[in-house]
Amino acid sequence: MAEAFADLFKDSKIFLDRKVLSPHYIPDHLLFRDKQIEEIEKALTPSLRGERGRNVFIFGKTGTGKTSCIKQVVERIKQLPIVSARISYVNCRVYNSRYRVLSKIAGDHIPMYAKRGYGIIDIYEKLISWIEEDGKVLVVVLDEIDIVKDLDDLVYTLTRANSDIKSGGITVVGVSNNVSFKEGLDPRSVSTLYENDLVFPPYNSHELASILKDRSEKGFKENAIDEASINLAAALAAREGGDARLALKIVTKAGELADEKGTSAITVDEITYAAKFAEEEIAYEVINTLPEHQKLVVYAIALMSIHGSKYKKLSEGTESYILSGEIFNRYVSIAESLHAEPKSSRLYRKYIAELEMQGIITSYESGKGIRGHTKLIKLSYQPGKIKELIEKGILRDNGTEAH
Ligand SMILES: Nc1ncnc2c1ncn2[C@@H]1O[C@H](COP(=O)(O)OP(=O)(O)O)[C@@H](O)[C@H]1O
Ligand SMILES: [Mg+2]
C-alpha cells in the first residue's frame, strides 16, 4: 500500500501541468476557429439587441471544437453590459430530458428554482413571466442536443413559449456531434432548430499539430515531446476523422507510458502504442453518448455477438457477422421491453449507416444466397465490454428519472 502511494508523490519527468492536456480544458485562444466564433456571434447579435433572433444550429464531428467555441461565446456574452440578454449553457449529457433542461434553465436565473422538485407547468409559467418582466431575451445553448430523449417535446415547448411570451423571447443554439440526427426528428422541430446552421469541419493534420504544439508547451516539460511525436499523433488523429480530443488523448497516454518507463521524453513508439488505446477508449465514449435508439441497436448487436449467430459460418474466415434484419428484430424487442417505441426500419438503416461511419461497426452486403440480398454486420470492439457499458447507462437513466 505505502509503496503504491509512493508513486503519487514521484515527480513526473514528462508532465508539467496535466490539466492543460485534458479535453475539458478550454485554451484562451482557439486556433482556426475565428470564423466560426464570429459567425455564432453574428447570428446572436439580434437577440442580444433585444430582438428575437434566429435559432442557430451547430454541427460537426466530435473534437472539432464546438463545445470550446460556444463556451467561449457564452462567457463573452455574460460579460456584456446588457441586462435584458441572458444566457444558459446546458450540457444535455447531464440534462437529458425536457424536464431536466427546463429546470436547469429556470435554476440558472431564478434562485428559488435552483433546487429540484418543481412541476413542469410551474417551471414553464415562471420562466415566461420572468422573461416578460422586462422583455428579456434568453439564449439557450443546448450542447449535445441529440441526447435529449424527448427532444421534439422540448422544441415544441420552447416554440410554444415564444408564442406565449408577449415581450422578449427565447433563442435556441443547438449543438450536435451527430451530423444526421435530424432524420429522426419531427419536421416541425427541424424547421425550428435549423433556421441558421453552421458546420464545424474536422481538423487536418497540420491544424491538429498546431493545436497539440500549443497545448504541449504548457502541458509537458521542456523537451518531453518532440516535433516528430506531435506530427505523428496529429496525423493519426487526422486519419481517424480530425478529432482534437483524440489527438490530445494520444499524447497524454503516450506521456503516461513514458512516465511508466521512467524516461524523460516521449518517442514515436509511445505515440503509436497510445493511439491504439486512445481510439478504443474514444469508441466507448462515443457509444456511451449515442442517442437512445442507436444505443439500443448497438446493444442488440453486442448481445447477438456474444451469444453467437447461426449465420456466422456463412462469412469467410472466423469472424462473426450478423444479419441486419435479425438485429432489427432484436432491437425492436429490446426497445419494447424498455417501453420505448421502436423506430422504423428505414430509420434503423440510417442508424446502421451512421454507426458504420463512426467506425463502431463494419458491414458488407452478402451476395445472393442468404435470403436474397442482405447486409451483414460486425462490431468493431469487444461485445462484452460494450454490453456492460450500455447496461450501466440504461440502468442509470431509468433509475434516476425525475419526471
Ligand atoms: N481550435 C482549437 N484550438 C485549441 N484546442 C482545441 C480546438 N478545438 C478543439 N480543441 C480542444 O480539443 C478538445 C475537444 O474540443 P471540443 O470543443 O470539446 O470539441 P467538440 O465539442 O466539437 O466535441 C478540447 O480539449 C479543446 O480544448
Ligand atoms: Mg462537445
Side-chain angles (χ1 to χ4, degrees), residues 61-68 70 89 91 93 143-144 175-177 245:
K61 288 187 176 175
T62 346
T64 51
K66 302 179 299 300
T67 298
S68 310
I70 195 70
Y89 170 85
N91 177 354
R93 277 199 211 196
D143 198 357
E144 311 228 11
V175 183
S176 172
N177 293 330
R245 184 182 330 219

Side-chain angles (χ1 to χ4, degrees), residues 295-311:
K295 215 187 253 184
L296 295 181
V297 169
V298 175
Y299 188 56
I301 304 173
L303 290 181
M304 294 174 84
S305 312
I306 291 168
H307 302 306
S309 159
K310 47 185 162 166
Y311 296 100

Side-chain angles (χ1 to χ4, degrees), residues 100-153:
R100 289 181 186 181
V101 169
L102 291 178
S103 39
K104 156 83 171 117
I105 300 170
D108 278 352
H109 304 283
I110 311 164
M112 214 175 99
Y113 282 70
K115 58 180 199 306
R116 296 181 68 125
Y118 291 91
I120 189 146
I121 296 171
D122 186 8
I123 295 173
Y124 179 81
E125 285 174 352
K126 183 70 192 175
L127 266 177
I128 289 190
S129 59
W130 172 77
I131 289 173
E132 283 177 337
E133 261 169 30
D134 47 359
K136 294 182 188 78
V137 169
L138 173 64
V139 178
V140 176
V141 179
L142 299 172
D143 198 357
E144 311 228 11
I145 187 172
D146 47 303
I147 294 178
V148 177
K149 288 189 254 180
D150 46 359
L151 183 56
D152 284 323
D153 294 339

